[in-house]
Amino acid sequence: MAAAAKVGTAVKRWATGDRLLAAGKARAASTQWFFAGAVLLASGVSADTYSLVVSGLGGEPGYEQRFSEQAEKIAAASRNLTGSEATTTLLTGAKADRESVRRELRSLAAKAGPDDEVIITLIGHGTFDGEQYRFNLPGPDLTAAELGTLFDALRARRQLIVNATSASGAVVDSWKREQRLVITATKSGGERTATRFAEHWVSALTSLEADTNKDDIITATEAFEYATRKVTESFKSDALLATEHSRLSGENAGRFQVARMGTAARVTSDPAMNEMYAQRVRIERELDAVKERKASMVVDAYYDELEGVLVRLAQLQRQIDAKQPAGRE
Amino acid sequence: MRALLSTIPVVCFLALPLASLAQSIDYDPRRPDELKSCDDHEYRGREGDAQECYTRVLNGPYTAVTRAEAAWRLGDLQRANRLFRDAVRGNQRLIHARVRWARLFVETHQYADAQTLLREALELSPSDVYGRLALAHLYAERFDGQAKAIVEQVLGEDDRNYEAHLLAARMLLEEGQLDEADASLDRAAKSTPDGLPPLELYSARATLDLARGRDSATMVKNTWVTRALNYNPRYGMVFDDLAHFEVMRRRYREATPLLRKAIEVQPDLWSAHADLGANLLRQGQIEEARQHLQTAYSGDPYSPTIVNTLRLLDRVDEVDVSSNKFTLPASGETASTDVEILLRLNRKEAGALHPYVLELARDSVITFSRRYGYRPTEPLTVELYPNHDDFAVRVAALPGIGLLGVTFGPLVVMDSPSGRASGDFHWGTTLWHEMAHVFTLSMTDNRVPRWLSEGVSVFEEWRTGPVPGVVVPPEAIAALRAKKFLSVADLDSGFIRPQYPDQVQVSYMQAGLICLFIEQRWGFEQLPVLLRQFNREISTKDAIEATFKVPVKEFDEQFDAFVRQRYSTALARFDEWQRAATLARKSVEGEQWQAVIDSARTAIAIFPEDIASDSPYLLLAKSLDKTGQREQAIDALTRYRQAGGWDPHALRQLAEWLEAAGQSMAATEALAAVNYGDPLNSQQHLKLGEQWLEAGRAEDSLREFEVLLALDAHDPATAHFGMARAFRAQGDLQASRRHLLDALETAPHYKPAQSLLLQMIEERQE
């Protein structure tokens, strides 16, 4: 457990946004993996990720069913991410009324500490009358201002709010906070047509297509870019003018995990395995260091050095894989 | 009347210098007498005197219409517009004022507004001759067949109408009906009204001389040009008209000196600056083109064509230009020839399109050089535009036109596949078609008539293009059935001034079928012989008779018999085909699969060339698959492809079915064909890269992964890993290592790449 605790400490440091957050963009890709492995190992020890998924009023059976199914898939991905049933809450259908949403958000504010992470996903229809955004729920709606107040009460410093509803772009400015990521399906309140974003956000969280760096972990950046690209392609394929343009507001989305798959989703308490994970973290740091020096190196020397580190990483991965069932090939 | 007036938008004009816009001569006898002495100065090129005279009229005690005309001639278009509007408001039944006001709108390129005014005028007085002629001019500008009918009607009522004869002659010249144009000009000469200048008659005569084979370089000394300049030394329009005719014949190089001469004679002839700018663009002289377009804009800020082209030029840095050279080997007495192909592709998609565009362009040069015995003598340029409106601006300076590709001598300009929805057009066939034009235009010094150039291009699509197969749409069969095919001698008019909605498309098909007929009747080698007849000025009739030794009438009859024989089943059972095709479509909607199968099979048996988006082949394949007959469904899609079908969704489906049936190579080939219809699909390149690699075709695999890398910035690791394996298969271990490390640099935990890295290290140590 010593190794686990040690790695967990590193996670907390990173999660709270100190020294490591200052690192350049290039190092993000591999440190994400490190973070993933570390959180898995440290699960329940230090930082937790809490998730609330709400599917609002569909208005008609087709939308009702679609929104519920999407919410369920996102909730399942969240459980996979956190490794725990208890940290994920799903509100759909009649249960997703204004009071329930308020209650769950207050509960989250109480449960999630400053070092924890919170992911809130809103699916369904939204409206914007030029002044006020409303998330459509059975019974009274919730306004952007009400939701914003509830979000501000959360103690978790790292927050991701995904508003996949129509007109969701209207909330970006009012919900923006330091260390909070806000993703919306539309660029403004004026994009009022039912959105396609949620469908592709679900795909990003449940398949490996969005995983561009092949580490079995989907970050908010990867999921956002994937969903955005798929939305664009779907309008183009239908030869329609796009009626939604997603937005991402906030920093370090590349370090905010939203899904894990394959080996990254497995939890282990084997000390030998933990030692290998820790060793992998160290190699990844070396890799980051080499990549950061790329601009100042002769090309051949850079590739020679890169190869050396990558070979060690690959050899270690082979050992890890030999000790556990295979992940993605 | 208010309602009528309310249809005319308020137009803000700016004052412009005298003669800034090319105003046509007003032949309407209703022109106010007060203007006539001023007009005489104007028509004679006495600019100062004209200006003084018009200013006097403008400030004098004359009607609003008279003063509007004076303001117009002085270049104060805003005031002219206001005066015309006041005149029409003051007397809602004014006809002549509306006609002239409409002409003012034409001059400022506001054709819709001009048309509205003319309709109002003709509602008030349907027989107004000059209102009708103004409308005919408007139609003629847009090559609308309605122009001819109006002119014929006017001349039917009065065979001495000078302006009508001039307009008729101009249209006949554009269609290459030279003898008829000559006769029209003779009649115009006999009807010249007293006191009006013969400048447009001289200009048309000069154009006729040019059309009859005079060298454009000698036109400066042409009798009619001399007469025009003697009458008015500032009459640059005579050269602009000659250049227009050369452009109509795609003789862009010859048009340029004529336009320069027009500007020399009349430096403020803005239309000539604009035409010269557009023409220089066609020849790739971008900077000088920009200068002339800017000059044109300074004098004619109303022209959307000028503004759009300048805006497009402002974005020239979005284009990636690559020079690609190769050598055509020596053949017979012809020495080897170096050919250069310049590709101008949008930076965003250049990497993805370059391999396929270059491959097709190069193949087309090799193919057409061999078939037509001609080799390009100058660099060829291919431009693809991802934004269709940019393409439209590039070719006609107006967005919203429905073309796919255009050839200006050695320059091909076309839509990029990204410019249209998937399945909208087959870019590979379009490029092949346009490249055939490069040859037919070059080898005849641009003299080839439109029908033959289009015919050869369509024929080559069928015979040698990326989607071989003679494809004739049902509209052409319907036209054949209705006896709407034209004599070969008149076929150009089907392209230039169509008389019914589908006529341009039908004319393309007829032209292609004529080439097919020549191949079948006299052998392919006679097609280049016919083309070479146009090395000199010759009519289609004379060229046909000289090549095939039959009168054109007999040629037409033989062609008619050929085409009716070829489509005998479709012609005889056309109604039955329509019923079967319609039933198949309807049955699909109702998921009545057996009904679809029966009716689609009937439709295919009658007319197997229908490969449209709702082709019976596609309906048949879907229904067979739905009823568990996958093998027959594959056969239906295979036959669709063999008939010339290229729908990307259908071919992907075919590839998937073939793959599932264990026919990997056929599946890969079907999928590879999609690249020439819909190449911007990353999954397709990934799949092809893997499949070619598995099939041992590393070079093809590498191309697919390279395109994937250019196309999919989202996932470079997969593309680099594919390239690493393709290079490895080719034995290039150094490049393989580099791309493998690139893949792992992006995705360090990419396990297949890690495995290959370890394998590579182990091999190195052995």
Side-chain angles (χ1 to χ4, degrees):
Chain A
M1 277 309 287
K6 194 173 174 184
V7 175
T9 307
V11 169
K12 279 188 85 170
R13 219 189 277 141
W14 193 42
T16 52
D18 60 9
R19 184 170 56 84
L20 278 170
L21 280 178
K25 196 176 174 184
R27 74 189 301 178
S30 62
T31 41
Q32 283 159 18
W33 209 102
F34 147 62
F35 186 41
V39 170
L40 280 168
L41 301 171
S43 183
V45 176
S46 54
D48 280 324
T49 299
Y50 291 89
S51 174
L52 171 63
V53 186
V54 185
S55 79
L57 190 66
E60 57 185 77
Y63 279 124
E64 204 73 53
Q65 187 184 348
R66 189 200 304 174
F67 294 157
S68 292
E69 285 173 2
Q70 289 168 348
E72 278 164 19
K73 286 177 182 168
I74 291 171
S78 290
R79 288 184 204 108
N80 211 30
L81 173 75
T82 60
S84 161
E85 290 278 334
T87 51
T88 298
T89 304
L90 171 64
L91 294 176
T92 59
K95 288 181 186 167
D97 62 11
R98 175 192 163 108
E99 277 318 306
S100 302
V101 175
R102 287 160 63 111
R103 186 181 62 247
E104 291 302 334
L105 282 169
R106 287 195 195 107
S107 166
L108 262 185
K111 280 190 291 190
D115 292 338
D116 292 326
E117 292 181 338
V118 169
I119 303 175
I120 296 160
T121 310
L122 308 179
I123 295 170
H125 297 302
T127 55
F128 182 64
D129 61 9
E131 291 183 0
Q132 188 65 273
Y133 164 85
R134 290 173 186 279
F135 179 34
N136 298 169
L137 296 167
D141 295 336
L142 268 169
T143 66
E146 288 170 312
L147 283 164
T149 304
L150 290 161
F151 297 154
D152 287 346
L154 295 168
R155 292 181 299 146
R157 278 192 287 265
R158 282 172 54 80
Q159 301 169 10
L160 168 62
I161 300 170
V162 181
N163 185 347
T165 68
S166 40
S168 50
V171 305
V172 174
D173 290 337
S174 62
W175 288 1
K176 205 186 310 183
R177 296 288 180 276
E178 194 182 348
Q179 297 224 53
R180 179 188 289 167
L181 290 168
V182 179
I183 288 173
T184 59
T186 76
K187 68 178 173 189
S188 68
E191 293 187 328
R192 295 170 186 175
T193 310
T195 64
R196 303 179 178 196
F197 185 82
E199 174 192 344
H200 300 296
W201 182 261
V202 169
S203 298
L205 268 50
T206 53
S207 79
L208 285 164
E209 270 193 71
D211 181 21
T212 52
N213 67 351
K214 322 287 183 201
D215 63 354
D216 290 352
I217 295 167
I218 311 297
T219 65
T221 298
E222 286 176 324
F224 174 77
E225 286 178 355
Y226 173 85
T228 301
R229 190 162 52 97
K230 288 291 176 185
V231 167
T232 306
E233 284 174 6
S234 74
F235 279 106
K236 193 167 183 194
S237 163
D238 295 345
L240 293 173
L241 279 177
T243 53
E244 63 186 85
H245 301 83
S246 53
R247 285 178 69 181
L248 186 158
S249 165
E251 302 289 318
N252 299 311
R255 293 173 184 167
F256 206 118
Q257 298 167 35
V258 292
R260 291 194 203 109
M261 280 158 254
T263 53
R266 296 198 184 95
V267 178
T268 178
S269 56
D270 177 353
M273 283 292 286
N274 285 338
E275 175 49 35
M276 282 195 281
Y277 279 125
Q279 193 182 341
R280 191 167 67 180
V281 169
R282 288 193 290 274
I283 297 174
E284 285 165 349
R285 284 180 181 159
E286 281 183 56
L287 183 61
D288 287 344
V290 174
K291 284 156 75 174
E292 279 179 10
R293 290 201 301 277
K294 182 176 185 178
S296 62
M297 292 175 75
V298 174
V299 174
D300 286 349
Y302 170 72
Y303 279 101
D304 286 346
E305 204 168 324
L306 185 71
E307 182 186 278
V309 181
L310 287 169
V311 166
R312 282 194 285 123
L313 188 62
Q315 285 167 336
L316 179 62
Q317 188 62 49
R318 188 179 270 183
Q319 289 174 38
I320 292 171
D321 291 344
K323 285 193 68 104
Q324 64 178 14
R328 175 177 58 178
E329 287 299 334
Chain B
M1 201 60 197
R2 174 173 285 275
L4 278 178
L5 281 170
S6 69
T7 60
I8 307 298
V10 176
V11 182
C12 296
F13 285 120
L14 300 171
L16 289 169
L18 181 66
S20 58
L21 298 170
Q23 190 188 20
S24 57
I25 295 159
D26 182 5
Y27 298 109
D28 193 330
R30 289 170 293 190
R31 188 165 178 84
D33 288 340
E34 297 85 351
L35 294 166
K36 287 183 177 166
S37 58
C38 309
D39 290 343
D40 191 53
H41 289 309
E42 169 88 354
Y43 296 147
R44 290 282 184 176
R46 297 188 292 264
E47 194 182 358
D49 294 340
Q51 191 159 6
E52 194 181 313
C53 182
Y54 286 127
T55 304
R56 206 165 43 243
V57 172
L58 178 63
N59 297 323
Y62 304 109
T63 65
V65 172
T66 305
R67 292 169 60 227
E69 295 278 7
W72 183 356
R73 293 289 181 177
L74 286 165
D76 190 347
L77 304 189
Q78 189 179 33
R79 194 164 175 189
N81 179 56
R82 207 165 45 236
L83 285 164
F84 275 128
R85 192 175 57 212
D86 290 347
V88 171
R89 276 184 180 159
N91 182 351
Q92 297 183 357
R93 300 202 63 78
L94 272 185
I95 298 158
H96 175 236
R98 277 196 169 79
V99 173
R100 293 299 297 161
W101 194 11
R103 293 269 193 166
L104 180 67
F105 275 117
V106 171
E107 203 153 298
T108 52
H109 317 280
Q110 291 162 281
Y111 303 111
D113 298 329
Q115 192 162 344
T116 305
L117 270 172
L118 289 171
R119 283 200 182 125
E120 286 179 14
L122 292 172
E123 271 176 31
L124 292 166
S125 176
S127 61
D128 189 88
V129 172
Y130 289 89
R132 282 185 286 160
L133 284 175
L135 193 59
H137 270 287
L138 202 56
Y139 287 136
E141 288 278 337
R142 292 180 290 183
F143 300 100
D144 186 323
Q146 295 181 80
K148 267 185 166 176
I150 295 174
V151 170
E152 280 168 16
Q153 190 189 40
V154 168
L155 287 173
E157 294 163 12
D158 175 12
D159 190 38
R160 294 185 56 77
N161 188 298
Y162 179 70
E163 185 177 357
H165 281 305
L166 281 180
L167 182 54
R170 184 183 125 188
M171 291 190 284
L172 290 164
L173 278 168
E174 286 171 349
E175 288 166 21
Q177 310 277 347
L178 304 188
D179 292 342
E180 292 81 352
D182 198 355
S184 276
L185 291 175
D186 281 346
R187 284 193 285 273
K190 287 175 190 162
S191 319
T192 311
D194 291 340
L196 283 173
L199 290 167
E200 290 182 346
L201 177 65
Y202 292 163
S203 188
R205 282 276 181 217
T207 304
L208 181 61
D209 281 353
L210 182 64
R212 282 182 162 155
R214 298 283 159 79
D215 184 349
S216 68
T218 67
M219 287 308 292
V220 178
K221 292 178 182 168
N222 174 269
T223 309
W224 300 105
V225 171
T226 306
R227 283 195 197 185
L229 292 177
N230 284 342
Y231 193 94
N232 178 355
R234 273 177 44 81
Y235 193 62
M237 276 307 292
V238 68
F239 293 108
D240 205 1
D241 283 346
L242 291 169
H244 168 75
F245 184 72
E246 290 291 39
V247 169
M248 280 285 299
R249 299 195 300 173
R250 289 160 290 188
R251 291 164 59 88
Y252 309 110
R253 200 181 293 115
E254 289 77 4
T256 296
L258 292 167
L259 289 165
R260 291 192 198 283
K261 191 70 189 167
I263 290 166
E264 182 189 319
V265 168
Q266 191 177 350
D268 57 359
L269 187 59
W270 312 123
S271 61
H273 281 286
D275 291 343
L276 180 55
N279 205 48
L280 289 169
L281 270 185
R282 292 179 191 118
Q283 295 167 75
Q285 298 176 44
I286 292 173
E287 274 320 302
E288 196 190 347
R290 190 201 302 268
Q291 287 167 21
H292 283 288
L293 288 164
Q294 282 168 342
T295 305
Y297 176 72
S298 71
D300 180 7
Y302 313 112
S303 165
T305 60
I306 297 171
V307 174
N308 289 335
T309 309
L310 282 170
R311 282 185 184 152
L312 184 62
L313 287 177
D314 286 343
R315 291 189 283 116
V316 75
D317 59 348
E318 290 176 7
V319 177
D320 177 88
V321 184
S322 68
S323 167
N324 309 274
K325 294 175 181 167
F326 67 101
T327 303
L328 287 170
S331 169
E333 293 178 2
T334 310
S336 64
T337 313
D338 292 331
V339 178
E340 181 179 13
I341 298 177
L342 293 162
L343 297 188
R344 293 171 58 87
L345 307 172
N346 187 282
R347 283 191 191 286
K348 286 181 185 166
E349 57 186 28
L353 292 179
H354 188 280
Y356 308 111
V357 176
L358 180 60
E359 180 195 28
L360 264 194
R362 196 172 43 207
D363 285 356
S364 70
V365 171
I366 294 166
T367 302
F368 299 143
S369 297
R370 177 174 44 81
R371 282 169 70 82
Y372 292 91
Y374 175 85
R375 296 181 169 204
T377 55
E378 58 188 317
L380 313 178
T381 303
V382 178
E383 294 182 5
L384 267 66
Y385 285 87
N387 181 334
H388 174 72
D389 282 347
D390 285 346
F391 158 71
V393 167
R394 178 73 175 86
V395 300
L398 281 173
I401 61 170
L403 299 169
L404 297 170
V406 172
T407 302
F408 303 113
L411 168 66
V412 169
V413 183
M414 57 181 278
D415 271 333
S416 158
S418 63
R420 289 173 177 265
S422 171
D424 247 22
F425 87 124
H426 192 272
W427 73 267
T429 297
T430 302
L431 177 59
W432 201 261
H433 179 109
E434 299 303 330
M435 290 300 287
H437 281 310
V438 170
F439 277 76
T440 51
L441 291 170
S442 301
M443 64 191 286
T444 61
D445 201 13
N446 297 298
R447 290 188 184 88
V448 62
R450 175 85 186 266
W451 76 266
L452 183 55
S453 194
E454 298 296 359
V456 168
S457 285
V458 170
F459 173 71
E460 288 299 338
E461 280 180 37
W462 295 340
R463 281 289 184 251
T464 59
V467 187
V470 178
V471 175
V472 172
E475 291 79 8
I477 301 299
L480 176 64
R481 195 164 173 247
K483 298 190 179 351
K484 285 184 173 176
F485 275 17
L486 300 173
S487 162
V488 65
D490 298 332
L491 190 46
D492 268 6
S493 70
F495 291 96
I496 296 169
R497 206 160 270 114
Q499 303 281 338
Y500 58 91
D502 291 329
Q503 192 172 9
V504 172
Q505 175 71 1
V506 169
S507 300
Y508 272 93
M509 291 303 115
Q510 185 187 344
L513 286 167
I514 288 173
C515 293
L516 185 69
F517 162 62
I518 290 168
E519 180 207 54
Q520 303 282 301
R521 168 74 176 76
W522 288 283
F524 168 77
E525 57 279 6
Q526 288 305 304
L527 198 51
V529 172
L530 173 63
L531 267 171
R532 286 204 188 81
Q533 295 286 347
F534 294 95
N535 283 334
R536 59 200 161 101
E537 294 298 338
I538 186 171
S539 68
T540 290
K541 175 178 171 294
D542 292 345
I544 291 277
E545 290 177 357
T547 307
F548 305 111
K549 317 295 181 208
V550 293
V552 76
K553 189 168 181 300
E554 193 179 324
F555 180 93
D556 285 338
E557 285 165 1
Q558 286 190 26
F559 168 67
D560 189 63
F562 163 79
V563 80
R564 285 183 190 284
Q565 171 62 35
R566 181 179 175 85
Y567 295 103
S568 55
T569 308
L571 287 167
R573 298 169 63 192
F574 195 72
D575 294 337
E576 187 187 349
W577 171 80
Q578 278 186 317
R579 280 195 301 275
T582 306
L583 181 61
R585 282 195 293 273
K586 281 188 177 164
S587 302
V588 161
E589 286 167 20
E591 300 190 353
Q592 296 165 300
W593 306 121
Q594 193 52 49
V596 179
I597 292 168
D598 293 342
S599 48
R601 279 185 170 147
T602 302
I604 291 168
I606 296 171
F607 183 41
E609 295 181 15
D610 178 19
I611 49 90
S613 58
D614 56 356
S615 161
Y617 287 110
L618 302 180
L619 307 180
L620 176 63
K622 182 176 181 177
S623 307
L624 288 166
D625 186 57
K626 289 282 184 190
T627 51
Q629 303 172 75
R630 174 66 65 82
E631 206 172 313
Q632 290 189 57
I634 290 175
D635 179 62
L637 282 188
T638 303
R639 284 197 293 139
Y640 162 77
R641 193 177 160 213
Q642 286 165 348
W646 55 267
D647 178 79
H649 305 291
L651 295 195
R652 286 193 189 108
Q653 180 73 83
L654 175 61
E656 197 181 310
W657 286 349
L658 286 166
E659 184 74 32
Q663 299 180 52
S664 298
M665 187 48 73
T668 305
E669 281 167 2
L671 195 58
V674 183
N675 282 337
Y676 300 98
D678 182 16
L680 301 172
N681 179 307
S682 51
Q683 281 303 310
Q684 181 176 305
H685 295 292
L686 176 59
K687 203 176 263 190
L688 276 171
E690 297 293 349
Q691 288 177 348
W692 285 132
L693 198 58
E694 199 170 317
R697 289 172 58 172
E699 195 179 338
D700 291 325
S701 171
L702 180 61
R703 182 190 59 205
E704 298 301 327
F705 284 124
E706 281 172 340
V707 170
L708 178 64
L709 183 64
L711 200 58
D712 195 357
H714 188 71
D715 184 14
T718 300
H720 278 301
F721 180 55
M723 289 171 72
R725 286 176 294 146
F727 274 123
R728 186 178 161 84
Q730 286 183 315
D732 187 344
L733 297 182
Q734 202 171 343
S736 173
R737 171 184 179 257
R738 176 64 63 88
H739 284 286
L740 184 58
L741 294 176
D742 284 337
L744 286 165
E745 181 191 39
T746 311
H749 301 279
Y750 192 7
K751 287 188 183 169
Q754 285 183 327
S755 298
L756 182 59
L757 177 66
L758 293 179
Q759 186 184 342
M760 187 183 82
I761 297 296
E762 283 162 14
E763 286 168 357
R764 201 189 290 163
Q765 288 166 351
E766 282 170 4

